[in-house]
Amino acid sequence: LNIFVSNILDTAKIKAGRMEHHVQPVCVEKTAQNVLTLFAVAAKRQNARLLLEIEPGLPQVAADPERLEQVLVNLVSNALKFTLEEGTIKIAARRKDGKVELSVADTGEGMSKENLAKLFQRFQQSDAARQKARGIQGTGLGLSIVKEALDAIGASVAVASEPGKGTRFSILLKIADP
């Protein structure tokens, strides 16, 4: 419910041009651990495994700590929704091309190319009728907030997915100045 309310309020702030971003050095590992702790009970209920794989010695990234945590919360929340019992959700981070790549991958349902094309648009949901039939609730705002939050700090997000093979969101973040 908290995620739902936050997404609605943040969408209103974004639309009004009132979303603030306070970019500073952020520890990816600490942020990811906080998010996994937040979802530990939900994952246990679902018999899902939450994994963390952080490259040793990873530098801090230039990000808004609250927004980066919100991005991960939205991605892990979605991963749990679409990962069947006994599935796996992994947050990973590594150096890539002079930046830090942060990813959230799951062993869930995956998505078709048609659904991927509209994924980051407001109020869009992948196969909404099937979600409703399965009791999956959402507003279609989480991923649009993810994209807008990352765009605002000069980061990028990409997604790879195939039906039946899971989904992986990859975020490229700038390394923070020392």
Side-chain angles (χ1 to χ4, degrees):
L1 184 58
N2 187 33
I3 295 167
F4 175 77
V5 171
S6 292
N7 284 345
I8 290 173
L9 293 173
D10 285 345
T11 299
K13 286 180 193 175
I14 291 166
K15 191 172 181 180
R18 295 233 189 246
M19 181 62 81
E20 293 182 13
H21 300 278
H22 304 285
V23 177
Q24 60 193 52
V26 178
C27 175
V28 169
E29 183 171 15
K30 182 179 175 187
T31 303
Q33 285 174 334
N34 289 345
V35 171
L36 291 183
T37 299
L38 178 67
F39 286 101
V41 172
K44 188 173 183 174
R45 264 189 261 140
Q46 192 171 314
N47 292 322
R49 293 184 320 145
L50 297 177
L51 303 176
L52 182 61
E53 189 178 285
I54 305 293
E55 179 182 293
L58 199 65
Q60 292 186 323
V61 297
D64 180 316
E66 287 181 31
R67 297 290 159 240
L68 184 59
E69 187 166 307
Q70 180 183 29
V71 162
L72 285 177
V73 162
N74 275 313
L75 294 177
V76 172
S77 174
N78 281 351
L80 274 170
K81 284 181 197 176
F82 297 104
T83 298
L84 303 175
E85 242 186 71
E86 298 184 12
T88 301
I89 294 128
K90 178 171 74 171
I91 298 178
R94 65 185 178 111
R95 290 177 193 257
K96 182 179 179 184
D97 301 329
K99 295 184 178 189
V100 170
E101 180 188 49
L102 176 61
S103 64
V104 176
D106 65 57
T107 58
E109 300 174 3
M111 292 176 271
S112 68
K113 287 182 182 180
E114 299 81 43
N115 287 327
L116 286 174
K118 57 185 176 182
L119 200 59
F120 294 106
Q121 297 172 14
R122 285 188 196 143
F123 303 110
Q124 292 296 317
Q125 293 180 294
S126 171
D127 202 349
R130 192 174 89 232
Q131 286 184 42
K132 188 174 182 179
R134 287 191 45 219
I136 297 173
Q137 297 179 347
T139 59
L141 294 174
L143 292 177
S144 68
I145 290 170
V146 164
K147 176 117 176 69
E148 291 179 31
L150 293 171
D151 285 350
I153 63 167
S156 63
V157 61
V159 61
S161 186
E162 278 186 60
K165 295 189 178 185
T167 301
R168 182 177 188 267
F169 286 88
S170 301
I171 300 163
L172 277 179
L173 297 155
K174 294 177 186 173
I175 293 174
D177 291 333

